Amino acid sequence: MARKTKQQALETRQQILDAAIHCFSTRGVSSTSLSDIAIRAGVTRGAIYWHFKNKIDILNEIWLQSDECLDKLELEYQNQYPDDPMAQIRALLVSLLQSTVRDSSRRALMEIIFHKCEFVGEMETFQKIQQDMLLECYPKIESTLNKCIAAGQLPEKLNTRQAAIMMRSYISGLMENWLFTPTGFDLENDAGPLVDAFMDMLRLSPVLRK
């Protein structure tokens, strides 16, 4: 019975998260209430408060789940290309871009972050969380770039911090622009060439040397 109750709780929690993604992406975060999410999920407000403190807590959990999926994907490519860190980076970046098109949940989350979230009032807390996560990602990217340098795939004098900033900005910019105007370019099919162009810049740009 306890196992069944735990499973039911997990299912209810995911229902709430799925409902929140739908509401946030269609109405915007500030215009969505917990009652809206409860109605969409088919649960009571009390059920929401059992699992989450507030909207920020829900939105943060949605983002963390997305990050967990990316961590699993990164590990998958590390296993697939154990001696080729550049191939790992390329595969992950291409997957990130293509999943924005193919994965409805991922697409909705990106729409929320880029276009449906006002970082004012209570959402300033979520903004701070996002800022901290952004700063934490740069050393992680640099670590991977350093592996590429050690493998002789990138220049020894590559400015890894600038490269990390540019990589994050480039990929985020492509996703944000495509989400704003999906007919502007074919993100799914052009993901490979767009990533390859960036990789060429890392290899060849003299400006990115220390």
Side-chain angles (χ1 to χ4, degrees):
M1 180 64 72
R3 221 177 301 163
K4 183 177 180 182
T5 302
K6 183 178 179 181
Q7 182 60 34
Q8 288 174 336
L10 290 173
E11 290 173 358
T12 299
R13 182 182 178 86
Q14 192 57 51
Q15 280 177 237
I16 294 169
L17 293 172
D18 292 341
I21 291 174
H22 174 84
C23 292
F24 290 156
S25 64
T26 55
R27 304 182 186 192
V29 177
S30 61
S31 297
T32 297
S33 67
L34 290 180
S35 294
D36 294 327
I37 297 172
I39 292 171
R40 176 73 188 182
V43 301
T44 63
R45 277 174 59 95
I48 291 181
Y49 283 120
W50 176 262
H51 293 280
F52 304 100
K53 298 175 184 177
N54 47 40
K55 283 196 296 185
I56 297 171
D57 198 23
I58 294 174
L59 190 54
N60 191 48
E61 178 63 23
I62 292 169
W63 186 262
L64 288 175
Q65 282 193 357
S66 177
D67 265 8
E68 286 177 7
C69 291
L70 293 181
D71 288 342
K72 291 177 182 177
L73 200 58
E74 185 176 9
L75 182 60
E76 178 184 328
Y77 291 134
Q78 288 173 357
N79 292 330
Q80 188 173 346
Y81 306 106
D83 302 314
D84 192 343
M86 281 288 278
Q88 295 171 19
I89 294 177
R90 183 187 186 279
L92 182 61
L93 295 182
V94 170
S95 180
L96 276 173
L97 295 177
Q98 291 182 335
S99 67
T100 304
V101 183
R102 297 172 178 171
D103 185 337
S104 59
S105 294
R106 176 76 182 170
R107 177 173 178 173
L109 177 59
M110 293 298 100
E111 287 177 341
I112 292 166
I113 298 300
F114 290 133
H115 302 303
K116 302 293 180 70
C117 187
E118 296 178 320
F119 294 115
V120 295
E122 64 176 340
M123 292 310 297
E124 288 181 357
T125 301
F126 183 69
Q127 181 184 36
K128 181 63 168 59
I129 293 171
Q130 289 298 298
Q131 288 171 337
D132 290 343
M133 290 177 66
L134 177 60
L135 293 174
E136 289 172 3
C137 87
Y138 291 142
K140 186 176 179 181
I141 296 173
E142 282 192 86
S143 175
T144 305
L145 292 174
N146 281 320
K147 291 178 183 178
C148 295
I149 294 172
Q153 297 176 314
L154 287 176
E156 187 175 342
K157 293 186 178 181
L158 179 70
N159 188 324
T160 55
R161 175 46 63 106
Q162 286 188 359
I165 293 170
M166 292 178 67
M167 182 183 295
R168 174 69 188 240
S169 302
Y170 182 73
I171 297 301
S172 295
L174 286 172
M175 290 190 292
E176 182 176 6
N177 278 278
W178 181 81
L179 287 166
F180 190 70
T181 313
T183 57
F185 59 101
D186 189 345
L187 182 61
E188 183 175 13
N189 290 319
D190 291 346
L194 287 168
V195 169
D196 289 337
F198 180 79
M199 304 295 264
D200 284 344
M201 182 174 63
L202 294 181
R203 281 190 288 259
L204 304 173
S205 175
V207 179
L208 284 175
R209 303 295 181 269
K210 294 178 183 177

